[in-house]
Amino acid sequence: MTQLLNDFLSGSAAWGVLLTLAAFALGALINKLTGKAIFNPLLLGSIFVIVFLSVCKIPYADYKISAAPVNYLLLPATVALAIPLYEKIDLLKENAAAIIAGISVGTLVSLGSALALALAKSMNKDLRVTLFCNSAPVFYTTNGKAYCDYLPDDEKYITNLEPERYADFAKYSIACAKHFTEAGYRVTGLSPINEPEWSWRGYADGTAKQEGCYYSKTQCRDLYKVFLKQMAQENALKGCQLEGWESGHIGTDTCMAYLQTMFGKSGVNWLKNGVLRKGMPTLALHSYWASPEERQAFADAIATTYGSNYKLALTEYCQMTEDQNSGVYDLIQKNGMDSGLGMEYGLALAGIIHQDLTVLNVVEWDWWTACAFGGYTDGLVYLDKDSHQVETSKRLWVLGNFSKFTDEGSVRISISLPEELSDVQSVAFKNPNGTVTAVFINNTDKARSTTLALDGYTRHTTYVTDKDNDLAKTDSGTAADAFALPARSVTTLVLEK
């Protein structure tokens, strides 16, 4: 019966208009009969339309297209509101304080968001902005939501964005990127897909925990091609690259299948994927769940697929409580879920960053997310909603050990440590200004010391994060002097000429 109704409606270009008018008329009738303000015709009409679409299983996108003529009347209807507003001028004056307060709060929130971004820009002249999407806007998705419909576990995943909407999604995303670019922000990346291998389905009651959209391997490839074509036509987006595919678990069979379908060179993929290999020189991925072996397998696969002409960006990571490769899984199981403020969590993060830098050779590393309200290991800074107190985690300072003294454009270089320091991890970079930054992870209970004398460098400075220090400057001297690596610490050494 539902299919017959869908077939009938698909043959009628104006059924959405008729449904909208009928729903509003019914709402107006109920409002007149009851005389209750709660039974607003517009509210009731919207409910009737939602119920009708849900019961008949009609995609919102189909209704939106069919009801489009109604949208054309919104502008004159808005202008016409001046008449009833004038007629109710006394009521408006009576409630002026509440009206002004509501408008003011909305305005301040909007201005505050813009100001926060502007402040971030002013504080860092090298600020780079990457725009990414969990989902296409709901006015493009199949179900009118930013997540997929509920499916039983044994059913095949279904995308929430039809191919005919790819161009609309691309134009919208590019328009957003142009907005920030023209406002002076340095937008370097546009990433329209996030972890496409997951189902991102809502719950049976129609709600969802997080936005997202499933895409098959070929759907990802086709969407990226549409984005590349649209971006090539936008001169205002010079310097902004298309990034993808934000794999949620690298090194798995599923991950490898996506990689080969979108970027592989074997068989039919050679011709189909050339435009993506050329147009997407930087692949974005997430470091969740991955073991050292999976990282190595992915690095080997990338080298085979791209050769030496590739870059990897680690664009998302936090210490998921169920991630057995996070370095703090056992600690979380023992202590229960909390914010993870201590040095154990900082050292574990340092180990993950070290793996990504040395095994995957990533050129960018991003944490998710900067600020949180506590109770989960996903923040660098925690805010108390009641007291407004701010508390920092050791993860914040450890991330600073890597990022504060390593400039954009730096190149990773090789350094060697004595045999007695084989259990100390290290990574080093040469910065564009000629300085060298080296990070040492001493995840043992024994304090160590060493030297790092490089030709041409005369002075060193060290910065330590441990249980007592937060990226604190602890030592300086000549380049030949020994420097300390405290127990259970992350130490950054900066060498200057």
Side-chain angles (χ1 to χ4, degrees), residues 99-111:
I99 295 172
I100 293 173
I103 295 174
S104 299
V105 170
T107 302
L108 289 174
V109 169
S110 178
L111 291 175

Side-chain angles (χ1 to χ4, degrees), residues 142-378:
T142 302
N143 64 4
K145 301 175 182 177
Y147 52 88
C148 299
D149 286 329
Y150 168 77
L151 290 172
D153 289 339
D154 59 349
E155 287 197 20
K156 182 180 178 181
Y157 297 170
I158 299 176
T159 187
N160 197 26
L161 187 69
E162 298 301 327
E164 55 266 26
R165 287 296 190 181
Y166 289 176
D168 293 329
F169 181 25
K171 291 177 182 178
Y172 177 88
S173 301
I174 292 169
C176 293
K178 285 181 64 178
H179 167 79
F180 288 104
T181 299
E182 292 170 355
Y185 294 95
R186 185 181 168 213
V187 180
T188 59
L190 180 59
S191 183
I193 295 176
N194 178 58
E195 299 181 354
E197 67 270 42
W198 310 138
S199 70
W200 296 111
R201 57 192 171 200
Y203 300 125
D205 63 0
T207 63
K209 185 177 181 180
Q210 185 176 345
E211 302 89 345
C213 185
Y214 166 78
Y215 296 93
S216 70
K217 302 180 289 291
T218 55
Q219 287 167 344
C220 283
R221 181 177 64 192
D222 293 344
L223 179 62
Y224 284 135
K225 285 184 176 180
V226 172
F227 264 78
L228 282 175
K229 182 178 179 180
Q230 295 284 350
M231 291 176 69
Q233 302 171 4
E234 298 291 343
N235 292 328
L237 287 183
K238 287 183 177 179
C240 178
Q241 293 183 340
L242 182 66
E243 294 185 359
W245 73 104
E246 311 283 353
S247 174
H249 187 166
I250 60 174
T252 63
D253 291 342
T254 298
C255 171
M256 299 303 193
Y258 272 82
L259 175 66
Q260 292 306 318
T261 299
M262 288 187 286
F263 306 102
K265 296 180 180 179
S266 61
V268 69
N269 291 331
W270 177 267
L271 295 176
K272 289 187 175 182
N273 299 339
V275 64
L276 295 189
R277 287 195 301 273
K278 181 180 179 180
M280 299 177 66
T282 301
L283 295 187
L285 53 112
H286 301 171
S287 203
Y288 301 117
W289 321 110
S291 65
E293 294 76 18
E294 288 172 328
R295 281 184 174 82
Q296 188 61 60
F298 186 77
D300 294 341
I302 284 290
T304 301
T305 303
Y306 271 89
S308 59
N309 300 319
Y310 73 91
K311 294 180 180 178
L312 296 180
L314 195 291
T315 54
E316 184 177 325
Y317 179 76
C318 73
Q319 291 168 330
M320 303 279 271
T321 56
E322 304 88 359
D323 186 350
Q324 298 187 33
N325 291 304
S326 68
V328 288
Y329 175 78
D330 291 338
L331 185 62
I332 292 173
Q333 301 309 306
K334 176 182 178 182
N335 297 340
M337 189 182 301
D338 61 16
S339 300
L341 302 177
M343 194 61 204
E344 301 91 340
Y345 294 88
L347 286 167
L349 174 60
I352 294 294
I353 296 175
H354 182 269
Q355 287 185 55
D356 290 334
L357 290 173
T358 59
V359 178
L360 294 174
N361 199 32
V362 298
V363 298
E364 174 184 338
W365 203 97
D366 301 312
W367 172 268
W368 177 279
T369 177
C371 298
F373 287 119
Y376 197 83
T377 47
D378 62 347

Side-chain angles (χ1 to χ4, degrees), residues 381-413:
V381 177
Y382 288 93
L383 314 174
D384 189 296
K385 290 186 287 186
D386 298 322
S387 67
H388 303 289
Q389 295 297 308
V390 176
E391 193 170 21
T392 61
S393 69
K394 289 295 181 179
R395 289 187 296 268
L396 171 69
W397 306 108
V398 164
L399 186 56
N401 278 98
F402 288 91
S403 64
K404 183 174 177 61
F405 308 101
T406 306
D407 298 330
E408 183 178 355
S410 63
V411 177
R412 189 163 67 88
I413 60 175

